[in-house]
Amino acid sequence: MRNRRILWWIVGACVVVLLGGGGIAIAVTSGSGDGKPDASGSTPAQPGPLATSAAPPPPSPGADITGPLDLVLIGVDTRVSIPDWEPHADTVMLLHVEADLKSAYLYSLPRDLRVKMPKYAKAGFGGGTYKLTEAMSRGSRVPGSKKHSVEQGYELLTRSLSSYTGIEEFQAGAILNFGGLAKLVDQLGGVDLRIDERVESRHRKPDGSMRTLRGGDYVGPQAVYQPGERHLEGWQAIDFARQRYGLDDGDYDRTRHQRQLVEAILTKAHDQGLGQNLSQLEGIISALGDTLVYLGGRTPLEYAYALRELTADGITVVDLPGAGVGRGGGYLGEQLTAESRGFLKALVAGNPDGYLAKHPKLINK
């Protein structure tokens, strides 16, 4: 069985998984009566010579968290080599955890999904209908400055997600850029992935270096990922999961590949027993540095403890198909099918399981 202690973080992107894994290990050992410091750094009181029983341990951090929960993981298209590049949400994954905290639904929304964005005074944004990916960039702008705030971008993105999905609040989120995820895969020693279709890289040469950008497009030799069982190192795994050009279903194929990569990372993390190896976890987290931004009212440790019984078998992965929309021959973005939008309505109404029973094709086998 996959390590249930680190689940939602792994599902989102193994970085967040690792944060949860380290935290839950601490939470489980705290208050065990062995005199070791608990998560807050204090030492549980020991019974005196006349005591007949030990005082009950304090509740673990996160024990008071109740469901349902809605969590968001964003893969940011950040050009770290360009100062103050505007962030774009290249990947948007959502995890809805049911009230029992033991079952959940994982789904993605297309980066080009057309959504109504509310006004956002912090960025001087007047609102309007744009592609979902633009919420990060438009929200990140700091008026009167060339700097950008990823946290602001996240705030406008989640407000836009609430407007579109009907989900009133997202309890926590994590933002990770491509460089961070590549570091993570390398720290794991690479991943084994079953590639289901030929994918040509738009960005990388076969040796991993960047292709030459000329006239708005990349030129020169390119990395190619052939179907079959492949072992990928960090740059290859992320490059493969980024591609959408040249694929039959574009961004929908890409989101499928991203979920396959998440599964491969999950498997590798489980095989290495990372939920029990705190020193290795700390090394991986340290290597990620500022490539990860965590946002939430509670800490990763608390959410990890609250979701300790959420296993991989308890997560239903849902595909939300859609199609392109345009005007006058021009491409405007994507829209979900009526069936996909129906799932979101059922989710908010508290009946996703009943809806999927009637629409089983949405379940990613």
Side-chain angles (χ1 to χ4, degrees):
M1 178 181 292
R2 291 178 174 84
N3 193 332
R4 61 206 237 168
R5 295 181 178 180
I6 52 178
L7 188 60
W8 98 257
W9 304 111
I10 290 183
V11 170
C14 200
V15 163
V16 192
V17 177
L18 297 176
L19 288 173
I24 195 63
I26 295 171
V28 168
T29 59
S30 69
S32 61
D34 59 4
K36 294 180 180 180
D38 65 11
S40 65
S42 62
T43 302
Q46 300 299 310
L50 299 179
T52 58
S53 62
S60 297
D64 62 323
I65 293 177
T66 59
L69 301 172
D70 286 284
L71 311 172
V72 57
L73 188 285
I74 304 162
V76 180
D77 185 9
T78 303
R79 307 296 203 273
V80 293
S81 61
I82 304 176
D84 293 315
W85 177 274
E86 286 189 348
H88 293 258
D90 216 49
T91 300
V92 178
M93 280 187 182
L94 303 172
L95 183 70
H96 174 82
V97 184
E98 292 283 62
D100 61 4
L101 301 182
K102 298 179 182 179
S103 56
Y105 299 87
L106 177 69
Y107 56 101
S108 303
L109 294 177
R111 70 186 297 277
D112 288 346
L113 184 67
R114 296 279 290 177
V115 298
K116 291 183 179 179
M117 299 180 191
K119 294 180 180 180
Y120 188 60
K122 290 182 182 178
F125 175 62
T129 301
Y130 300 94
K131 295 177 182 177
L132 181 60
T133 182
E134 296 180 58
M136 281 291 296
S137 56
R138 293 179 181 275
S140 72
R141 297 167 186 170
V142 179
S145 169
K146 293 184 178 180
K147 296 185 178 298
H148 296 85
S149 167
V150 173
E151 290 82 359
Q152 278 188 199
Y154 171 83
E155 187 173 10
L156 180 58
L157 176 63
T158 52
R159 290 185 183 183
S160 301
L161 287 173
S162 292
S163 176
Y164 183 82
T165 64
I167 297 171
E168 293 184 359
E169 180 184 5
F170 293 92
Q171 283 73 34
I175 303 171
L176 183 70
N177 69 25
F178 294 126
L181 197 50
K183 286 182 180 180
L184 171 63
V185 172
D186 283 336
Q187 287 289 317
L188 291 173
V191 293
D192 298 307
L193 193 66
R194 183 182 180 279
I195 295 177
D196 57 10
E197 63 179 319
R198 176 186 168 91
V199 175
E200 297 181 349
S201 175
R202 182 170 180 256
H203 310 95
R204 299 277 187 171
K205 296 179 182 178
D207 64 359
S209 60
M210 294 298 297
R211 298 177 72 204
T212 302
L213 184 60
R214 182 181 300 161
D217 200 1
Y218 294 92
V219 298
Q222 58 194 130
V224 177
Y225 305 96
Q226 299 286 0
E229 301 291 337
R230 308 293 176 192
H231 180 81
L232 305 180
E233 55 184 281
W235 75 265
Q236 293 173 315
I238 306 313
D239 185 51
F240 165 75
R242 288 186 67 184
Q243 305 309 314
R244 62 180 176 133
Y245 296 102
L247 303 180
D248 290 340
D249 289 321
D251 199 42
Y252 299 98
D253 280 346
R254 177 169 65 171
T255 57
R256 185 181 72 253
H257 295 160
Q258 290 166 351
R259 288 191 294 269
Q260 291 169 349
L261 176 58
V262 167
E263 179 68 19
I265 292 174
L266 171 62
T267 300
K268 191 63 176 284
H270 169 257
D271 290 346
Q272 293 187 3
L274 291 184
Q276 307 298 328
N277 192 333
L278 292 184
S279 62
Q280 188 175 0
L281 281 171
E282 290 171 356
I284 291 175
I285 293 169
S286 177
L288 292 172
D290 60 3
T291 60
L292 171 72
V293 176
Y294 168 77
L295 298 150
R298 305 291 290 266
T299 67
L301 183 153
E302 292 172 303
Y303 280 115
Y305 183 82
L307 300 179
R308 66 194 181 281
E309 295 187 33
L310 177 59
T311 70
D313 291 339
I315 292 183
T316 301
V317 181
V318 181
D319 280 325
L320 298 181
V325 294
R327 181 184 302 127
Y331 176 73
L332 293 178
E334 298 291 316
Q335 65 179 3
L336 295 183
T337 64
E339 187 178 32
S340 296
R341 295 194 299 272
F343 169 75
L344 296 176
K345 292 179 180 178
L347 195 71
V348 172
N351 187 35
D353 194 49
Y355 187 83
L356 291 176
K358 297 179 180 179
H359 303 268
K361 290 183 179 180
L362 294 181
I363 299 175
N364 191 336
K365 302 294 185 181

